Amino acid sequence: MSREDICSSLASSDAVSLETLINSLISRGSISNIEMIRPPSTGTIQMQVREPICEERFIVGDALVTIAEVSVDGTLGWAMRLGGDANAAVAAAVADAHIARVGFEGAPELAELVLYTKSEIERADEQEWAEIRETIIDFEELD
């Protein structure tokens, strides 16, 4: 898995599960020497989408996000999560740094959370497409 895929899953993972797992890893000593590089800050970003026919980008609106940056044993970790949950943003940044430091296979509990979150996102996307598919009009059939 790429770091982008891992960060994307961490950004979407359940906040309570992520925080509980990070706290458990810290208490067991698997994660130590955490330094806050950029404290969590909440702000807005512009959400863009690409129009499917002309393929032009346009701004849909603003979204509330929280960003955090940490260092775990000298390895930088960064996270951006939707919403204003500062603790979840810090936990995601710590998870990112830990996975970057020990590798995806070296962090099996975090890897499990990342893979579970990714599968849940894919399942939700498939369900949404199944609902939308019924409304698609095939203009070739109208001739």
Side-chain angles (χ1 to χ4, degrees):
M1 261 188 126
S2 72
R3 190 165 186 188
E4 182 179 343
D5 290 337
I6 292 168
C7 287
S8 177
S9 289
L10 290 172
S12 300
S13 63
D14 176 63
V16 174
S17 299
L18 178 61
E19 290 173 42
T20 302
L21 181 54
I22 292 299
N23 287 332
S24 172
L25 291 170
I26 290 170
S27 67
R28 290 193 320 236
S30 298
I31 297 176
S32 59
N33 301 323
I34 301 170
E35 178 185 346
M36 187 69 65
I37 304 297
R38 180 178 179 187
S41 61
T42 302
T44 59
I45 60 169
Q46 292 182 337
M47 299 292 292
Q48 292 185 18
V49 295
R50 186 181 302 272
E51 191 276 329
I53 296 175
C54 297
E55 296 186 6
E56 294 177 355
R57 291 181 179 262
F58 65 94
I59 297 170
V60 175
D62 292 336
L64 182 72
V65 296
T66 303
I67 300 171
E69 188 174 358
V70 300
S71 170
V72 175
D73 284 330
T75 302
L76 293 177
W78 181 86
M80 178 188 296
R81 288 182 56 101
L82 285 173
D85 190 343
N87 291 335
V90 171
V94 170
D96 174 48
H98 182 62
I99 291 171
R101 187 174 62 82
V102 301
F104 193 65
E105 295 78 19
E109 293 156 311
L110 284 170
E112 183 179 338
L113 177 65
V114 165
L115 292 172
Y116 174 77
T117 301
K118 185 176 186 221
S119 70
E120 285 297 302
I121 291 169
E122 290 170 354
R123 185 191 59 72
D125 287 347
E126 287 172 12
Q127 182 178 353
E128 182 179 15
W129 271 109
E131 293 170 5
I132 293 172
R133 195 171 294 121
E134 297 173 8
T135 66
I136 295 174
I137 298 171
D138 186 359
F139 289 100
E140 290 180 11
E141 290 180 7
L142 297 176
D143 289 338

